[in-house]
Amino acid sequence: MSESTSSRQLRVAVLGVGMMGSFHTQLLSSRVRGARVSVVSDLAADRAEQLAGQVGARVVLDPFEAIAASDVDAVVIATPGGAHEKQVLACLERGIPVLCEKPLTMEADTAYGIVTAERKLGRRLVQVGFMRRFDPEYAQLRELIASGGLGEPLLVHCAHRNPEVPDSFNSPMAITDSVVHEVDVVRFLLDEEIVAVTVLKPTPTPRAPAGVSDPMLVLFETASGRLADVEVFVRTGVAYEVRTEVVGEQGSAIIGLDTGLVRSTPDGRRGGAITPGFVERFGLAYQHQLEAWVDAALGGTVTGPGAWDGYAALAVCDAGVGAVATGARTLVKMEARP
Ligand SMILES: NC(=O)c1ccc[n+]([C@@H]2O[C@H](COP(=O)([O-])OP(=O)(O)OC[C@H]3O[C@@H](n4cnc5c(N)ncnc54)[C@H](O)[C@@H]3O)[C@@H](O)[C@H]2O)c1
């Protein structure tokens, strides 16, 4: 371990400082103890220079030079998905912890390559940015299930609603960019794999461009025979609403109702505000994700969702994209877990 990590300051390189990377950089620099951003890397030099100036980091334009830099102990990858595979493999080659935004790679087989490469190293270094696992409500729900508070869980109902998305956001993207989080949530809550996916396409909202199915209903079947349904509706025109309800043998529990603050107003209404976007809804989850990652990385490892979870999510999304295209129940193709 380097001198700096032993003195409890993890020096982090952030690769890709667009929306997510700049958010992670700001969190690491202001809210997360035990770490500082030492290197900012982006193909867009202006963006990198500006952010680096704000947080006292230096700029290394080339992502692979950044991974190799002597003042870097761990890496956050927030580049577009197509760049992830090579950057994660470079972190594994150097033997340093990495937090990679989803998707781990672009295809299930390349993600499996990362699972096996990490396995050969014999220690966990790859964490995938499934931040909902660090959201206090999801953590509480999982604890309730694990403690037997609902009896055996039988069904999961999820809703994933966005107020709007660009017209280029098509039906397969609703699976790979939105439903992917529900894939991880269902695996996390039920602690088993998803084995088949069916997608139903009801009458679309007039807001959807021609040929785009929005909303869709996605049905997951798990290895033990449980069912989880996901309503994905990304052009509601309302707000960002992400709900999960688990129905068990002895009751049910629901999260994501935004009922933190319920106000009465002079017009005789009572209600709370719905979060406008994912940063407001999951801000704390992103912070807790980084805190847990930094704590583990200071010890030279990771403890959050790993390469296998990134691989499983891609395998389920592949089946989901197939189900969107064919309308048929589609089996998930997965390798055996090493
Ligand atoms: N966990 C979540 O909730 C969540 C939410 C949004 C996005 N994401 C994921 O985060 C990642 C980044 O998304 P974003 O919305 O911030 O994208 P973005 O387009 O805003 O930012 C990407 C940045 O990477 C830079 N870049 C592109 N190719 C690069 C390369 N090869 N090396 C270094 N820098 C490069 C770009 O110049 C840009 O600044 C994606 O994988 C996306 O799926 C996750």
Side-chain angles (χ1 to χ4, degrees):
M1 179 153 308
S2 73
E3 208 174 290
S4 86
T5 47
S6 59
S7 61
R8 313 304 291 168
Q9 262 289 319
L10 189 77
R11 297 167 303 175
V12 179
V14 179
L15 313 186
V17 287
M19 182 183 65
M20 286 313 298
S22 50
F23 186 52
H24 289 313
T25 301
Q26 299 290 3
L27 278 178
L28 281 166
S29 307
S30 59
R31 301 272 170 104
V32 178
R33 280 202 199 144
R36 73 180 170 87
V37 177
S38 55
V39 167
V40 164
S41 177
D42 198 295
L43 299 183
D46 295 3
R47 194 173 300 159
E49 294 285 356
Q50 199 188 356
L51 186 64
Q54 286 169 18
V55 300
R58 71 188 181 95
V59 171
V60 177
L61 293 182
D62 183 285
F64 298 98
E65 264 178 48
I67 293 166
S70 59
D71 56 349
V72 167
D73 305 309
V75 175
V76 171
I77 297 178
T79 52
H84 292 180
E85 182 192 1
K86 285 188 179 154
Q87 293 173 353
V88 171
L89 287 172
C91 293
L92 284 180
E93 258 166 47
R94 213 195 130 186
I96 53 174
V98 53
L99 172 60
C100 179
E101 267 302 347
K102 61 89 191 157
L104 179 56
T105 66
M106 297 304 280
E107 315 83 13
D109 60 340
T110 49
Y112 192 72
I114 290 178
V115 170
T116 49
E118 186 189 48
R119 179 88 185 165
K120 275 186 202 141
L121 279 179
R123 69 190 165 114
R124 288 199 54 200
L125 289 174
V126 181
Q127 180 165 329
V128 180
F130 288 127
M131 79 297 172
R132 287 202 200 162
R133 296 188 183 213
F134 300 91
D135 171 70
E137 289 189 4
Y138 277 104
Q140 211 182 343
L141 184 56
R142 172 160 156 127
E143 229 173 87
L144 179 66
I145 296 168
S147 68
L150 296 178
E152 273 301 304
L154 302 172
L155 295 166
V156 184
H157 304 296
C158 306
H160 187 131
R161 300 185 192 143
N162 293 62
E164 59 183 358
V165 290
D167 278 355
S168 56
F169 198 93
N170 57 26
S171 315
M173 287 167 79
I175 303 291
T176 55
D177 278 44
S178 302
V179 176
V180 62
H181 285 291
E182 267 66 33
V183 171
D184 189 63
V185 158
V186 169
R187 294 182 62 255
F188 174 61
L189 294 176
L190 298 182
D191 210 7
E192 61 171 331
E193 298 299 350
I194 294 167
V195 295
V197 186
T198 306
V199 178
L200 300 176
K201 296 178 267 188
T203 306
T205 169
R207 288 193 182 87
V212 172
S213 300
D214 187 20
M216 295 191 287
L217 284 182
V218 182
L219 189 67
F220 296 136
E221 296 167 49
T222 70
S224 75
R226 294 169 175 140
L227 290 182
D229 58 78
V230 180
E231 171 207 313
V232 58
F233 187 7
V234 294
R235 293 172 181 86
T236 62
V238 180
Y240 184 74
E241 298 173 83
V242 168
R243 282 179 208 150
T244 303
E245 180 177 24
V246 177
V247 182
E249 288 171 332
Q250 291 164 29
S252 62
I254 187 164
I255 60 167
L257 292 177
D258 290 304
T259 47
L261 180 73
V262 179
R263 281 178 63 186
S264 306
T265 48
D267 60 357
R269 290 167 181 266
R270 180 181 295 133
I274 308 177
T275 47
F278 68 93
V279 169
E280 293 82 0
R281 168 66 181 87
F282 288 116
L284 210 51
Y286 290 110
Q287 183 182 328
H288 290 173
Q289 169 180 253
L290 282 169
E291 285 165 351
W293 178 72
V294 166
D295 279 351
L298 282 165
T301 188
V302 301
T303 51
W308 179 261
D309 301 297
Y311 164 67
L314 278 156
V316 176
C317 286
D318 278 357
V321 169
V324 169
T326 63
R329 173 178 181 267
T330 306
L331 294 178
V332 177
K333 290 188 195 123
M334 270 175 80
E335 301 286 341
R337 190 167 186 157

